[in-house]
Coordinates of all heavy atoms in Angstrom, one line a residue:
M1 N 23.0 -17.3 -5.3 CA 23.0 -16.0 -4.6 C 23.8 -15.0 -5.4 O 24.9 -15.2 -5.9 CB 23.7 -16.2 -3.2 CG 23.4 -15.1 -2.3 SD 24.4 -15.3 -0.8 CE 25.5 -13.9 -0.9
I2 N 23.2 -13.8 -5.5 CA 23.8 -12.7 -6.2 C 24.8 -12.0 -5.3 O 24.5 -11.6 -4.2 CB 22.8 -11.7 -6.8 CG1 21.8 -12.4 -7.7 CG2 23.5 -10.6 -7.4 CD1 20.6 -11.7 -7.9
K3 N 26.0 -11.9 -5.8 CA 27.0 -11.1 -5.1 C 27.0 -9.7 -5.5 O 27.1 -9.3 -6.6 CB 28.4 -11.7 -5.3 CG 28.7 -12.9 -4.5 CD 30.2 -13.3 -4.6 CE 30.5 -14.5 -3.7 NZ 31.9 -15.0 -4.0
L4 N 26.8 -8.9 -4.5 CA 26.8 -7.4 -4.7 C 28.2 -6.9 -4.8 O 29.1 -7.3 -4.1 CB 26.0 -6.7 -3.6 CG 24.5 -6.9 -3.7 CD1 23.8 -6.3 -2.5 CD2 23.9 -6.2 -5.0
R5 N 28.4 -5.9 -5.6 CA 29.6 -5.2 -5.8 C 29.5 -3.8 -5.5 O 28.4 -3.3 -5.4 CB 30.1 -5.4 -7.3 CG 30.0 -6.8 -7.8 CD 30.2 -6.8 -9.3 NE 31.6 -6.4 -9.6 CZ 32.6 -7.3 -9.7 NH1 32.3 -8.6 -9.7 NH2 33.8 -7.0 -10.0
A6 N 30.6 -3.1 -5.2 CA 30.5 -1.7 -4.9 C 31.5 -0.9 -5.8 O 32.6 -1.4 -6.1 CB 30.9 -1.4 -3.5
C7 N 31.1 0.3 -6.2 CA 31.9 1.1 -7.1 C 33.1 1.7 -6.3 O 32.9 2.3 -5.3 CB 31.1 2.1 -7.8 SG 32.0 3.3 -8.8
R8 N 34.3 1.6 -6.9 CA 35.4 2.2 -6.3 C 35.4 3.8 -6.3 O 35.9 4.4 -5.5 CB 36.7 1.8 -7.1 CG 37.4 0.6 -6.6 CD 38.7 0.5 -7.2 NE 39.3 -0.7 -6.9 CZ 39.9 -1.5 -7.8 NH1 40.0 -1.1 -9.0 NH2 40.4 -2.7 -7.4
N9 N 34.7 4.2 -7.3 CA 34.6 5.7 -7.5 C 33.6 6.4 -6.7 O 33.9 7.3 -6.0 CB 34.3 5.8 -9.0 CG 34.9 7.1 -9.6 OD1 35.9 7.6 -9.1 ND2 34.4 7.6 -10.7
C10 N 32.3 5.9 -6.8 CA 31.3 6.7 -6.1 C 30.6 5.8 -5.0 O 29.6 6.3 -4.4 CB 30.2 7.1 -7.1 SG 29.3 5.8 -7.9
K11 N 31.1 4.6 -4.7 CA 30.5 3.7 -3.7 C 29.1 3.2 -3.9 O 28.5 2.6 -3.0 CB 30.6 4.5 -2.3 CG 32.0 4.8 -1.9 CD 31.9 5.4 -0.4 CE 33.3 5.6 0.1 NZ 33.9 6.9 -0.4
N12 N 28.7 3.3 -5.1 CA 27.4 2.8 -5.5 C 27.4 1.3 -5.4 O 28.3 0.6 -5.9 CB 27.0 3.3 -6.9 CG 25.8 2.7 -7.4 OD1 24.8 2.6 -6.7 ND2 25.8 2.3 -8.7
V13 N 26.4 0.7 -4.8 CA 26.3 -0.8 -4.7 C 25.4 -1.3 -5.8 O 24.4 -0.8 -6.1 CB 25.6 -1.2 -3.3 CG1 25.4 -2.7 -3.3 CG2 26.6 -0.8 -2.2
T14 N 26.0 -2.3 -6.6 CA 25.4 -2.7 -7.8 C 25.7 -4.2 -8.0 O 26.6 -4.8 -7.4 CB 25.9 -1.9 -9.0 OG1 25.3 -2.4 -10.2 CG2 27.4 -1.9 -9.1
E15 N 25.0 -4.8 -9.0 CA 25.4 -6.2 -9.4 C 26.3 -6.2 -10.6 O 26.8 -7.2 -11.1 CB 24.1 -7.0 -9.7 CG 23.3 -7.3 -8.5 CD 21.8 -7.6 -8.8 OE1 21.6 -8.1 -10.0 OE2 21.0 -7.5 -8.0
E16 N 26.4 -5.0 -11.2 CA 27.2 -4.9 -12.5 C 28.7 -4.8 -12.2 O 29.1 -4.3 -11.2 CB 26.7 -3.7 -13.2 CG 25.2 -3.6 -13.5 CD 24.7 -4.7 -14.3 OE1 25.4 -5.2 -15.2 OE2 23.5 -5.2 -14.0
I17 N 29.5 -5.2 -13.2 CA 30.9 -5.1 -13.1 C 31.3 -3.6 -13.3 O 32.3 -3.2 -12.7 CB 31.6 -6.0 -14.2 CG1 31.4 -7.5 -13.7 CG2 33.1 -5.7 -14.3 CD1 31.7 -8.5 -14.6
K18 N 30.6 -2.9 -14.2 CA 30.8 -1.5 -14.3 C 29.7 -0.7 -13.7 O 28.5 -1.1 -13.9 CB 30.9 -1.1 -15.8 CG 32.1 -1.7 -16.5 CD 33.3 -0.7 -16.3 CE 34.5 -1.3 -17.1 NZ 35.7 -0.6 -16.7
C19 N 30.0 0.3 -12.9 CA 29.0 1.1 -12.2 C 28.1 1.8 -13.2 O 28.5 2.4 -14.2 CB 29.7 2.1 -11.4 SG 28.6 3.3 -10.6
E20 N 26.8 1.6 -13.0 CA 25.8 2.3 -13.9 C 25.7 3.7 -13.6 O 25.1 4.5 -14.4 CB 24.4 1.5 -13.8 CG 23.6 1.8 -12.6 CD 23.9 0.7 -11.5 OE1 24.9 0.0 -11.6 OE2 23.0 0.5 -10.7
K21 N 26.2 4.2 -12.5 CA 26.1 5.6 -12.2 C 27.2 6.5 -12.8 O 27.0 7.6 -13.3 CB 25.9 5.9 -10.7 CG 24.6 5.5 -10.2 CD 24.4 5.9 -8.8 CE 23.0 5.5 -8.3 NZ 22.8 5.8 -6.9
C22 N 28.4 5.9 -12.7 CA 29.6 6.7 -13.1 C 30.5 6.0 -14.1 O 31.4 6.6 -14.6 CB 30.4 7.2 -11.9 SG 31.3 5.8 -11.1
G23 N 30.2 4.7 -14.3 CA 31.0 3.9 -15.3 C 32.3 3.4 -14.7 O 33.1 2.8 -15.5
G24 N 32.5 3.6 -13.4 CA 33.7 3.1 -12.8 C 33.7 1.6 -12.5 O 32.7 1.0 -12.7
D25 N 34.9 1.1 -12.1 CA 35.0 -0.3 -11.8 C 34.4 -0.6 -10.5 O 34.5 0.2 -9.6 CB 36.5 -0.7 -11.8 CG 37.1 -0.7 -13.1 OD1 36.4 -1.0 -14.1 OD2 38.3 -0.4 -13.2
T26 N 33.7 -1.8 -10.4 CA 33.2 -2.2 -9.1 C 34.0 -3.4 -8.6 O 34.6 -4.1 -9.3 CB 31.7 -2.6 -9.3 OG1 31.6 -3.7 -10.2 CG2 30.8 -1.5 -9.8
V27 N 34.0 -3.5 -7.2 CA 34.8 -4.6 -6.6 C 33.9 -5.4 -5.6 O 32.9 -4.8 -5.2 CB 36.0 -4.0 -5.9 CG1 37.0 -3.5 -6.8 CG2 35.6 -2.9 -4.9
L28 N 34.3 -6.6 -5.4 CA 33.6 -7.4 -4.4 C 34.0 -7.2 -3.0 O 33.3 -7.5 -2.0 CB 33.7 -8.9 -4.8 CG 33.0 -9.4 -6.0 CD1 33.4 -10.8 -6.4 CD2 31.5 -9.4 -5.7
E29 N 35.2 -6.5 -2.8 CA 35.7 -6.3 -1.5 C 35.2 -5.0 -1.0 O 35.8 -3.9 -1.2 CB 37.2 -6.4 -1.4 CG 37.8 -7.7 -1.8 CD 37.9 -7.9 -3.3 OE1 38.2 -7.0 -4.0 OE2 37.8 -9.1 -3.7
W30 N 34.1 -5.0 -0.2 CA 33.6 -3.8 0.4 C 32.9 -4.1 1.7 O 32.6 -5.2 1.9 CB 32.7 -3.0 -0.6 CG 31.5 -3.8 -1.0 CD1 31.5 -4.8 -2.0 CD2 30.2 -3.8 -0.5 NE1 30.3 -5.3 -2.2 CE2 29.4 -4.7 -1.3 CE3 29.6 -3.1 0.5 CZ2 28.1 -4.9 -1.0 CZ3 28.2 -3.3 0.8 CH2 27.5 -4.2 0.0
K31 N 32.8 -3.1 2.5 CA 32.3 -3.3 3.8 C 31.2 -2.2 4.1 O 31.3 -1.1 3.7 CB 33.4 -3.2 4.9 CG 34.0 -4.5 5.2 CD 35.0 -4.3 6.3 CE 35.9 -5.6 6.4 NZ 37.1 -5.3 7.2
G32 N 30.2 -2.7 4.9 CA 29.2 -1.7 5.3 C 28.2 -1.4 4.3 O 28.5 -1.5 3.1
Y33 N 27.0 -1.1 4.7 CA 25.9 -0.9 3.8 C 25.2 0.3 4.2 O 24.8 0.5 5.3 CB 25.0 -2.2 3.8 CG 24.0 -2.1 2.7 CD1 24.3 -2.5 1.4 CD2 22.7 -1.8 3.0 CE1 23.4 -2.5 0.4 CE2 21.7 -1.8 2.0 CZ 22.1 -2.2 0.7 OH 21.1 -2.2 -0.3
L34 N 25.0 1.2 3.2 CA 24.4 2.5 3.5 C 23.2 2.7 2.6 O 23.4 2.6 1.3 CB 25.4 3.5 3.3 CG 25.4 4.8 4.0 CD1 25.4 4.6 5.5 CD2 26.6 5.6 3.7
F35 N 22.0 3.0 3.1 CA 20.9 3.3 2.2 C 20.6 4.8 2.5 O 20.1 5.2 3.5 CB 19.7 2.4 2.5 CG 18.6 2.6 1.5 CD1 18.8 2.3 0.2 CD2 17.5 3.2 1.9 CE1 17.8 2.5 -0.8 CE2 16.4 3.4 0.9 CZ 16.6 3.1 -0.4
I36 N 20.8 5.6 1.4 CA 20.5 7.0 1.6 C 19.3 7.4 0.8 O 19.1 7.2 -0.4 CB 21.7 7.8 1.0 CG1 23.1 7.3 1.5 CG2 21.5 9.3 1.2 CD1 23.6 8.0 2.7
L37 N 18.3 7.9 1.6 CA 17.1 8.4 1.0 C 17.1 9.9 0.6 O 16.6 10.3 -0.4 CB 15.9 8.1 1.9 CG 15.3 6.7 1.9 CD1 14.2 6.6 3.0 CD2 14.7 6.4 0.6
D38 N 17.7 10.6 1.5 CA 17.8 12.1 1.4 C 19.2 12.6 1.6 O 19.5 13.0 2.8 CB 16.8 12.7 2.3 CG 16.6 14.2 2.0 OD1 17.4 14.8 1.3 OD2 15.6 14.8 2.6
P39 N 20.0 12.5 0.6 CA 21.5 12.8 0.8 C 21.7 14.3 1.2 O 22.7 14.6 1.9 CB 22.1 12.5 -0.5 CG 21.0 12.6 -1.5 CD 19.8 12.1 -0.8
V40 N 20.8 15.2 0.9 CA 21.0 16.6 1.2 C 20.8 16.8 2.7 O 21.6 17.6 3.3 CB 20.0 17.5 0.4 CG1 20.2 18.9 0.8 CG2 20.2 17.3 -1.1
R41 N 19.8 16.1 3.3 CA 19.6 16.3 4.7 C 20.2 15.3 5.6 O 20.3 15.4 6.8 CB 18.0 16.3 5.0 CG 17.5 17.7 4.9 CD 16.0 17.7 5.2 NE 15.2 17.4 4.0 CZ 13.9 17.2 3.9 NH1 13.2 17.2 5.0 NH2 13.3 17.0 2.8
S42 N 20.8 14.2 5.0 CA 21.4 13.2 5.8 C 22.9 13.5 6.1 O 23.7 13.7 5.2 CB 21.3 11.9 5.0 OG 22.2 10.9 5.5
S43 N 23.2 13.5 7.4 CA 24.6 13.7 7.8 C 25.5 12.6 7.4 O 26.6 12.7 7.1 CB 24.7 14.0 9.3 OG 24.2 12.9 10.0
V44 N 24.9 11.4 7.4 CA 25.6 10.2 7.0 C 26.0 10.3 5.5 O 27.1 10.0 5.1 CB 24.8 8.9 7.2 CG1 25.6 7.6 6.9 CG2 24.3 8.8 8.6
G45 N 25.1 10.7 4.7 CA 25.3 10.9 3.3 C 26.4 12.0 3.0 O 27.3 11.8 2.2
K46 N 26.4 13.0 3.8 CA 27.4 14.1 3.6 C 28.8 13.5 4.0 O 29.8 13.8 3.3 CB 27.1 15.2 4.6 CG 26.2 16.3 3.8 CD 26.0 17.5 4.8 CE 24.7 18.2 4.4 NZ 24.2 19.0 5.5
R47 N 28.8 12.8 5.0 CA 30.1 12.2 5.5 C 30.7 11.2 4.4 O 31.9 11.1 4.2 CB 30.0 11.5 6.8 CG 31.1 11.8 7.8 CD 30.9 11.0 9.0 NE 29.7 11.3 9.7 CZ 29.1 10.3 10.5 NH1 29.6 9.1 10.6 NH2 27.9 10.6 11.1
A48 N 29.8 10.5 3.8 CA 30.2 9.5 2.8 C 30.4 10.2 1.4 O 30.9 9.6 0.5 CB 29.1 8.4 2.6
G49 N 30.1 11.5 1.3 CA 30.3 12.2 0.1 C 29.3 11.8 -1.0 O 29.7 11.8 -2.2
V50 N 28.1 11.5 -0.6 CA 27.1 11.0 -1.5 C 26.2 12.1 -1.8 O 25.7 12.9 -1.0 CB 26.4 9.8 -0.9 CG1 25.1 9.5 -1.6 CG2 27.3 8.6 -0.8
S51 N 25.8 12.3 -3.1 CA 25.0 13.4 -3.5 C 23.6 12.9 -4.1 O 22.7 13.7 -4.3 CB 25.7 14.3 -4.5 OG 26.1 13.6 -5.6
T52 N 23.5 11.6 -4.4 CA 22.2 11.1 -4.9 C 21.7 10.0 -4.0 O 22.6 9.3 -3.4 CB 22.3 10.6 -6.4 OG1 23.4 9.7 -6.4 CG2 22.6 11.7 -7.3
S53 N 20.4 9.8 -3.9 CA 19.9 8.7 -3.1 C 20.2 7.4 -3.7 O 20.4 7.2 -4.9 CB 18.4 8.9 -2.9 OG 17.8 8.8 -4.2
G54 N 20.3 6.4 -2.9 CA 20.5 5.0 -3.4 C 21.3 4.2 -2.3 O 21.3 4.5 -1.2
E55 N 21.8 3.1 -2.8 CA 22.5 2.2 -1.9 C 24.0 2.3 -2.1 O 24.5 2.4 -3.2 CB 22.1 0.7 -2.2 CG 20.7 0.4 -2.0 CD 20.2 -0.8 -2.8 OE1 20.1 -0.6 -4.0 OE2 20.1 -1.8 -2.2
Y56 N 24.7 2.4 -1.0 CA 26.2 2.7 -1.1 C 26.9 1.8 -0.1 O 26.4 1.4 1.0 CB 26.5 4.2 -0.7 CG 25.9 5.1 -1.8 CD1 24.7 5.7 -1.6 CD2 26.6 5.4 -2.9 CE1 24.1 6.5 -2.5 CE2 26.1 6.3 -3.8 CZ 24.9 6.8 -3.7 OH 24.3 7.7 -4.6
A57 N 28.2 1.6 -0.4 CA 29.1 0.9 0.5 C 29.8 1.9 1.4 O 30.0 3.0 0.9 CB 30.1 0.1 -0.3
I58 N 30.1 1.6 2.6 CA 30.8 2.5 3.5 C 32.3 2.5 3.2 O 32.9 3.5 3.1 CB 30.5 2.2 5.0 CG1 29.0 2.5 5.3 CG2 31.4 3.0 5.9 CD1 28.5 2.0 6.6
K59 N 32.8 1.3 3.0 CA 34.2 1.2 2.7 C 34.5 0.3 1.5 O 34.0 -0.8 1.4 CB 35.0 0.6 3.9 CG 35.5 1.6 4.8 CD 36.5 0.9 5.8 CE 37.1 2.0 6.7 NZ 38.0 1.4 7.7
V60 N 35.2 0.8 0.5 CA 35.5 0.1 -0.7 C 37.0 -0.1 -0.8 O 37.7 0.9 -0.6 CB 35.0 0.8 -2.0 CG1 35.3 -0.1 -3.2 CG2 33.5 1.0 -1.9
R61 N 37.5 -1.3 -1.0 CA 38.9 -1.5 -1.0 C 39.5 -1.2 -2.4 O 38.9 -1.6 -3.4 CB 39.2 -3.0 -0.6 CG 40.6 -3.0 0.0 CD 40.7 -4.2 0.9 NE 40.5 -5.5 0.1 CZ 40.8 -6.7 0.6 NH1 41.3 -6.8 1.8 NH2 40.6 -7.8 -0.1
Ligands
LIG101 ZN1 30.2 4.6 -9.5

């Protein structure tokens, strides 16, 4: 089973140790899963501070 990680910096969910979006460190300790299709129109995306579509963690430790 692949363990998903989340970026501390931009909350991007990835399998990589380094985030492919911003180059930040990713961690295994994260909670919640967010899939943003349209961050401009999505209020959830705005609240999470997300500006590009993709998969994100809600809380990263
Ligand atoms: Zn990142």
